[in-house]
């Protein structure tokens, strides 16, 4: 009798394990999602971990694991380990037709593009004697944009340079950008007369329009760090300067472009940089700013890049004719290697050169009169 009972128990256990192994993962959904599309370096982001069991079968123990770049730090250190990646592992118990949502807080200390493309599910049989595992695709990413920094001195210098072209703004008018009405003069064409306003006032009145000329700025960002001693913090400051300038200038209605030896498709999710250089033509609006900030976010310190002189040569060949009216701002810590190239490239045009340098050190170069040099002292944190 006891033997029959034991045999029946073993048979039922085997059948249950066989059934469980076949059905535990059916209609089981796991969703990982960052709640923000982007944050700035130094801020926090949130992500959700949602598990849904769309069947009657109970899952007493379910382990959900995933990994992400170790530059992201989870505030909940429980079940978290860090080596080459940050590994997160959580345990759930699911009833039939149950949904569990857990919110995680992530510290974003460094810029970058962070992607989670897979999660790992593990369930256990009765008495934990067998384990069953599957991989579940995930598709979520988070951009951490470069931290903002103080660029007021650079903006003031740029505004002074732009003052010399303000008088040209009224030479070209946009017929679709109505501005105001004023009295007619003998130099006004007949097509600009506003007949309704003229009839109302008893004098000839004409329409005026806004200028089609907008302030344009072209940022040249050099991220090369090829010396024996690496100054990664200077490169980070240069990237922050470029990102902050782009944000503030676009907010002021200016057209901003970016040429850099960081290269990738800014519209793709977490692209990988490749060797060459990228040039975004001057433009305004949120789309342009997003492309610039995402491009600046993806650069990694171990990426190989073109030196600035080679980048300027390529730009002069392909893009120079399209940006003749843009104020040029060069951002590079490589003074000795780039001075001659920048002076030759700018010619007689006005330009600004921003040089990040270590604190308590001065930039020991003297540029041509047409180049405004701005030295930034940067702390090594």
């Amino acid at each position: 009798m006891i033997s029959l009972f034991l045999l029946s128990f073993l048979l039922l256990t085997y059948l249950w394990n066989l059934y469980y192994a076949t059905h535990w993962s059916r209609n089981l959904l796991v969703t990982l999602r960052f709640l923000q599309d982007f944050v700035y370096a130094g801020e926090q982001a949130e992500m959700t971990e949602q598990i849904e069991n769309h069947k009657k079968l109970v899952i007493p123990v379910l382990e959900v694991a995933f990994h992400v770049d170790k530059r992201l730090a989870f505030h909940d250190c429980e079940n978290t380990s860090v080596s080459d990646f940050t590994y997160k592992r959580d345990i759930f118990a699911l009833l039939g037709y149950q949904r569990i949502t857990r919110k995680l807080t992530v510290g974003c200390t460094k810029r970058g593009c962070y992607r989670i493309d897979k999660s790992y599910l593990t369930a256990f049989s009765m008495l934990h004697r067998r384990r069953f595992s599957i991989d579940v695709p995930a598709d979520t990413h988070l951009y951490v944009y470069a931290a903002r920094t103080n660029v007021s001195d650079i903006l003031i210098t740029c505004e002074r340079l732009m003052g010399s072209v303000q008088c040209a703004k009224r030479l070209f008018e946009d017929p679709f950008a109505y501005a105001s009405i004023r009295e007619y003069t003998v130099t006004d064409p007949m097509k600009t007369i506003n007949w309704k306003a003229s009839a109302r006032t008893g004098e000839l009145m004409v329409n005026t329009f806004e200028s089609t000329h907008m302030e344009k700025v072209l940022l040249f960002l050099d991220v090369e760090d090829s010396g024996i001693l690496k100054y990664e913090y200077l490169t980070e400051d240069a990237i922050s300067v470029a990102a902050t300038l782009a944000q503030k200038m676009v907010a002021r209605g200016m057209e901003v472009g970016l040429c850099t030896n960081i290269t990738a498709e800014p519209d793709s999710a977490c692209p990988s940089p490749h060797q060459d250089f990228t040039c975004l033509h001057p433009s305004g609006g949120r789309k342009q700013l997003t492309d610039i900030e995402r491009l600046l976010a993806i650069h990694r310190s171990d990426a190989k890049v073109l030196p600035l002189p080679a980048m300027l040569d390529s730009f002069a060949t392909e893009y120079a004719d399209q940006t003749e009216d843009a104020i040029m701002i060069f951002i590079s810590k490589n003074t000795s290697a780039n001075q001659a190239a920048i002076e030759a490239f700018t010619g007689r045009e006005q330009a600004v050169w921003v040089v990040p340098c270590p604190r308590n050190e001065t930039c020991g170069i003297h540029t041509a009169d047409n180049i405004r040099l701005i030295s930034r002292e940067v702390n090594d944190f």
Side-chain angles (χ1 to χ4, degrees), residues 191-231:
K191 64 180 180 179
T192 62
I193 296 177
N194 188 320
W195 296 105
K196 290 184 179 181
S198 300
R200 186 168 57 251
T201 61
E203 297 180 358
L204 285 177
M205 306 294 290
V206 295
N207 296 323
T208 61
F209 302 91
E210 296 290 354
S211 168
T212 59
H213 180 87
M214 295 182 65
E215 293 91 345
K216 293 183 180 180
V217 175
L218 190 59
L219 305 174
F220 284 85
L221 173 63
D222 174 32
V223 295
E224 184 184 17
D225 196 4
S226 59
I228 297 176
L229 296 177
K230 300 298 181 181
Y231 295 94

Side-chain angles (χ1 to χ4, degrees), residues 49-68:
E49 189 178 15
Q50 183 172 282
I51 297 89
E52 300 175 74
N53 185 21
H54 294 278
K55 59 181 180 295
K56 292 182 178 180
L57 181 63
V58 175
I59 305 178
V61 180
L62 177 67
E63 179 183 293
V64 179
F66 61 91
H67 65 268
V68 70

Side-chain angles (χ1 to χ4, degrees), residues 228-287:
I228 297 176
L229 296 177
K230 300 298 181 181
Y231 295 94
E232 185 177 347
Y233 68 101
L234 296 181
T235 302
E236 289 300 319
D237 183 74
I239 293 174
S240 293
V241 167
T244 307
L245 285 175
Q247 182 189 51
K248 291 186 177 297
M249 290 177 173
V250 168
R252 296 185 182 189
M254 302 165 63
E255 293 186 353
V256 181
L258 173 68
C259 289
T260 177
N261 37 20
I262 303 172
T263 54
E265 292 295 332
D267 286 333
S268 59
C270 297
S272 298
H274 53 85
Q275 295 186 40
D276 207 337
F277 83 101
T278 298
C279 188
L280 301 178
H281 292 273
S283 181
R286 183 64 205 177
K287 174 64 167 56

Side-chain angles (χ1 to χ4, degrees), residues 83-132:
S83 56
D84 51 341
F85 291 93
T86 297
Y87 295 90
K88 183 68 174 173
R89 182 174 61 92
D90 292 316
I91 307 296
F92 300 88
L94 286 170
L95 301 175
Y97 298 103
Q98 185 182 17
R99 174 190 297 168
I100 298 177
T101 302
R102 183 171 295 176
K103 184 176 290 188
L104 305 174
T105 302
V106 184
C108 307
T109 57
K110 294 186 178 181
R111 58 170 184 81
C113 185
Y114 304 98
R115 187 181 184 93
I116 301 175
D117 55 10
K118 187 184 295 185
S119 60
Y120 309 90
L121 307 185
T122 302
F124 298 88
S125 65
M126 294 179 62
L127 304 179
H128 285 217
R129 298 188 63 180
R130 293 186 58 191
R131 57 184 299 166
F132 314 102

